[in-house]
Amino acid sequence: MTTPAKNDDLHGMVPDECPVALLIIDMINDFDFEGGDQLLENAVPMAERLAALKRQARMLGIPVIYVNDNFGRWRSDFKTAVTRCVEDGMRGRAVVGALQPDDEDYFVLKPKHSGFYATSLDILLQYLKARTLIITGLAGDSCVLFTAHDAFLRDYHLIIPADCTASIDAGANERVIDQMRSILKADTRVSTEIDLAGLINES
């Protein structure tokens, strides 16, 4: 039995091709859960730094992938989630407003903590030919950590900017950043110190 040839054009919808991809995890968020107020407080300044990083990535042609929890809303979709989170009175409006997806961005909805579990992320990254992942978002000690672990097991080179993740407990976020640097060999320098153009050329 022969293996089917890879479909290089995705039925005419060819994605970007870049050795580097930026993952934005769970930033489309209403923060309507226990601990959401504290997480939001830590997420607001982080979102501004992440938005700046995203702008630089887009200028260089680095694909941006929103990897977002469906929060148990199985009939929802990504665009509906964005629209709901920026409505008046929503807790996450400031964060989502700073990081609203552009038409060029990709999105993957996930049912569990890891962005790789039961999602299309793995195959999308293969089509993009990405080998270096810049992993950012919420929460550092949960979904970012689980996604980073799964990426490490798939032999991706990891960059996890310490100033572009947040958790409910700031101390816990610092500890998990140290853990990912030590165990997953992640580069955890702050976003302003990352040479994105250099990453493209090196990868």
Side-chain angles (χ1 to χ4, degrees), residues 80-188:
T80 300
V82 173
T83 300
R84 188 176 64 82
C85 288
V86 295
E87 290 176 351
D88 289 342
M90 297 299 290
R91 284 183 182 180
R93 187 180 184 193
V95 168
V96 179
L99 284 165
Q100 284 203 58
D102 300 312
D103 291 340
E104 300 86 357
D105 297 333
Y106 300 92
F107 64 89
V108 172
L109 281 176
K110 62 184 178 68
K112 293 289 185 179
H113 301 76
S114 172
F116 288 93
Y117 180 78
T119 76
S120 59
L121 180 59
D122 216 358
I123 192 168
L124 172 59
L125 291 171
Q126 290 177 39
Y127 272 103
L128 294 172
K129 295 183 171 58
R131 296 308 313 156
T132 295
L133 303 183
I134 305 171
I135 303 179
T136 65
L138 304 172
D141 59 356
S142 180
C143 295
V144 171
L145 175 63
F146 277 85
T147 302
H149 274 207
D150 280 358
F152 177 77
L153 293 177
R154 288 165 170 78
D155 295 323
Y156 287 100
H157 173 230
L158 303 181
I159 299 176
I160 306 171
D163 62 335
C164 288
T165 69
S167 303
I168 293 174
D169 184 308
N173 200 72
E174 291 178 6
R175 289 190 293 273
V176 81
I177 289 291
D178 289 342
Q179 177 186 353
M180 291 188 286
R181 179 170 56 247
S182 173
I183 298 175
L184 306 183
K185 312 305 179 187
D187 180 345
T188 60

